[in-house]
Structure formats: structure tokens, C-alpha cells
Amino acid sequence: MGLMYDDPRLAALTLLRIAAEESEGPNEMTGHMHAVLDDLVQRNGASYLAELAIALARTGFIALDELARTTGNSTAELLDAVEVDTLEGLDGDC
């Protein structure tokens, strides 16, 4: 039997939990996330990352859709806002 996070949906939740812990301040959790990803690839192969990316995208969409319903916005409007914010953040990376 594999580790609990061998299922892409559970691995996505594991990574989201790590990201939540990282958001509380700078620490060494990024290294933890890399270690989890390295372990997943070693255990399941590189193609597993595609399944993980799909699970993360679906999880993100579900959260965004729920937020849209709660706030009375459309999911498309919120997605557009997140995209604009991300694009603006890229300007500082150059």
C-alpha cells in the first residue's frame, strides 16, 4: 500500500496544506513541498505530476467557484482578477 498522498487528489490537498503553512510566514516549508514532490515522482513516476497538476487545478477551481457563489461574483470575474494580479506580479520578476 502506498502513502496516503499517492492519490493525486490527496497529494493536492497535502500541497495546499503546506502552502497554507508557508503563508503564515517565511520558513522551511518550501523545502518540505519539494521533498513531497520528489518523493511522489520517485514513487509514482514523472507522469504522476500531470495527474497532480490536474487535481490542483480542479481543487483551485472548486475553491474559486465557492468563493464566487458566496460573494455574488461570477467565477470568470474572480479568475480574471487572479490572472491580472498574477500577471502584475510577474512584472517584478524581470
Side-chain angles (χ1 to χ4, degrees), residues 3-18 33 36-37 40 44 48-49 51-53 55-56 59:
L3 296 175
M4 179 177 82
Y5 60 68
D6 282 344
D7 180 287
R9 296 164 299 176
L10 294 174
L13 292 173
T14 298
L15 293 175
L16 286 172
R17 287 191 183 279
I18 293 170
M33 193 175 297
V36 168
L37 288 169
L40 286 168
N44 301 295
Y48 178 84
L49 293 181
E51 294 301 319
L52 179 57
L56 283 168
T59 300

Side-chain angles (χ1 to χ4, degrees), residues 27-68:
N27 55 33
E28 298 193 22
M29 294 307 294
T30 299
H32 184 215
M33 193 175 297
H34 281 281
V36 168
L37 288 169
D38 289 344
D39 183 56
L40 286 168
V41 169
Q42 185 176 36
R43 292 171 59 79
N44 301 295
S47 63
Y48 178 84
L49 293 181
E51 294 301 319
L52 179 57
I54 291 167
L56 283 168
R58 286 181 177 153
T59 300
F61 173 78
I62 290 167
L64 195 62
D65 192 52
E66 183 64 31
L67 179 62

Side-chain angles (χ1 to χ4, degrees), residues 3 6 12 23 26 31 38 42-43 45 56-58 60 68 71 77 80 87-88 90-91:
L3 296 175
D6 282 344
S23 72
D38 289 344
Q42 185 176 36
R43 292 171 59 79
L56 283 168
R58 286 181 177 153
T71 61
E77 289 172 330
D80 288 346
L87 289 169
E88 289 174 349
L90 294 177
D91 289 342

